[in-house]
Amino acid sequence: MTEGTTSAAQGGDTLTRLEQEGEIAADYLEGLLDIADLDGDIDMDVEGDRAAVSIISDASSRDLQKLVGRDGEVLEALQELTRLAVHRETGDRSRLMLDIGGFRARKRAELTELGAKAADEAKNSGEPVKLEPMTPFERKVVHDAVAAAGLRSESEGEEPQRFVVVLPA
């Protein structure tokens, strides 16, 4: 009986830890927005096994676009800086996910569709389908979409030219 209690307590501890990561990240990002004189609200959540923090704004999305950058490059850098701020406070490595202005959510939807199409192509042709190089986040979304379609995929190559190959059944 104590075994179940322990795992429930550990699950609660994990949730509390992820919520703490979200709080630290939100404080860090609020300071960053103040320094940059940008308007934005911080939304925190826990998605699966990671804290998720979003910066959203009612104001001009052009302001937030500066924080996303070309193809999400600035967003990726801000995510790493935010993870470092969390690490500095907690001593633990963070897998926190940052989204700005819904960029990552839109990207996830596009990549899910790309993964599903590549899976269909591999099923129909019987040949492996190689995709363009992607970031680790992008590859993960595509791998998940391929798995949901019932196929396997793997990553090949070296960063930053690492890409997904969808394998036929």
Side-chain angles (χ1 to χ4, degrees):
M1 178 128 171
T2 56
E3 208 171 281
T5 307
T6 304
S7 66
Q10 287 172 339
D13 289 349
T14 299
L15 186 61
T16 304
R17 183 179 55 77
L18 294 177
E19 288 169 344
Q20 178 190 16
E21 281 188 18
E23 291 287 338
I24 294 166
D27 289 345
Y28 176 77
L29 292 166
E30 282 176 3
L32 206 67
L33 289 174
D34 286 345
I35 290 168
D37 196 28
L38 296 173
D39 289 325
D41 294 321
I42 310 290
D43 184 38
M44 294 178 298
D45 200 4
V46 173
E47 295 176 2
D49 60 348
R50 63 175 60 185
V53 179
S54 299
I55 300 175
I56 51 180
S57 176
D58 296 333
S60 159
S61 62
R62 216 179 342 213
D63 281 350
L64 290 185
Q65 187 58 40
K66 293 175 189 173
L67 296 178
V68 172
R70 193 185 78 219
D71 295 328
E73 289 173 341
V74 176
L75 170 59
E76 290 292 330
L78 286 173
Q79 177 175 276
E80 282 307 307
L81 288 171
T82 305
R83 286 177 174 178
L84 285 171
V86 170
H87 176 73
R88 187 185 66 224
E89 291 288 322
T90 64
D92 295 325
R93 186 174 171 274
S94 173
R95 295 184 58 240
L96 176 132
M97 185 66 69
L98 175 63
D99 194 3
I100 299 175
F103 175 84
R104 209 178 282 276
R106 287 189 300 277
K107 190 77 168 172
R108 180 175 280 137
E110 292 170 9
L111 291 165
T112 298
E113 186 177 328
L114 174 68
K117 284 181 180 176
D120 285 345
E121 186 180 331
K123 280 180 189 175
N124 294 334
S125 71
E127 297 291 323
V129 175
K130 293 182 180 181
L131 300 176
E132 295 296 315
M134 299 178 192
T135 67
F137 161 76
E138 293 169 333
R139 291 194 308 269
K140 166 100 173 72
V141 174
V142 171
H143 286 306
D144 290 347
V146 169
L151 291 183
R152 283 187 332 103
S153 58
E154 51 192 39
S155 293
E156 293 183 5
E158 299 294 322
E159 296 292 355
Q161 296 299 313
R162 203 155 164 77
F163 60 95
V164 173
V165 178
V166 180
L167 305 169

